[in-house]
Amino acid sequence: MTNSTRTYLSRYLTGTSRIMATSNRESEINKKEEEWREELTPEQFCVLRQHATERPHTSPLNKQYAKGTYVCAGCGQPLFTSGTKFDSGTGWPSFFHPIEGAIGTTVDKSLFMTRVEVHCSRCKGHLGHVFDDGPAPTGKRYCINGVSLKFIPD
């Protein structure tokens, strides 16, 4: 894939022309950019490694409510269980609680606002953001890009 194709794809996924920097935080999985590109689809690479956002209502996982576990599409780490999924009406899969120790957070100051970014604690792949407008018992809404997840049914 050429750089111009990646830029176009990033613009398509995010609706912007800006690509955020890939995280360089310590990770249990240390792969070079080319290794990630070979293992992930172009959409997964843009979201997980370049912090892009998929368009709302495009992921089949948004309406997936079978019993199972949602794992990181980058490294396979279990992130959320189906029992914590809810329909937030946002167009992205949403959860009110992650599996203990599965995610990390960082401050995201892109797009002229401050948000809390959610990433996989194992590979540091960008998953989405967490907001304080979710249901009980946590009051949290983990708004996750479906392309950054894989669903494993029970």
Side-chain angles (χ1 to χ4, degrees), residues 95-106:
F95 305 85
F96 61 80
H97 196 282
I99 293 172
E100 190 70 33
I103 64 151
T105 60
T106 55

Side-chain angles (χ1 to χ4, degrees), residues 21-56:
T22 301
S23 171
N24 290 323
R25 293 177 300 274
E26 287 187 35
S27 173
E28 288 180 34
I29 298 175
N30 294 306
K31 294 181 184 179
K32 294 181 179 173
E33 184 175 324
E34 275 311 307
E35 291 175 286
W36 284 116
R37 284 189 194 283
E38 289 173 10
E39 293 178 16
L40 301 171
T41 68
E43 295 85 2
Q44 288 172 325
F45 182 83
C46 283
V47 171
L48 286 164
R49 307 316 307 168
Q50 295 183 314
H51 302 250
T53 299
E54 70 185 354
R55 292 204 180 274

Side-chain angles (χ1 to χ4, degrees), residues 2 21 42-43 47 51 68 82 86 109 113 115 125 127 143 145 148:
T2 66
E43 295 85 2
V47 171
H51 302 250
S82 58
F86 69 99
K109 293 189 176 189
M113 63 181 109
R115 300 175 291 173
L127 303 172
C143 192
N145 291 286
S148 67

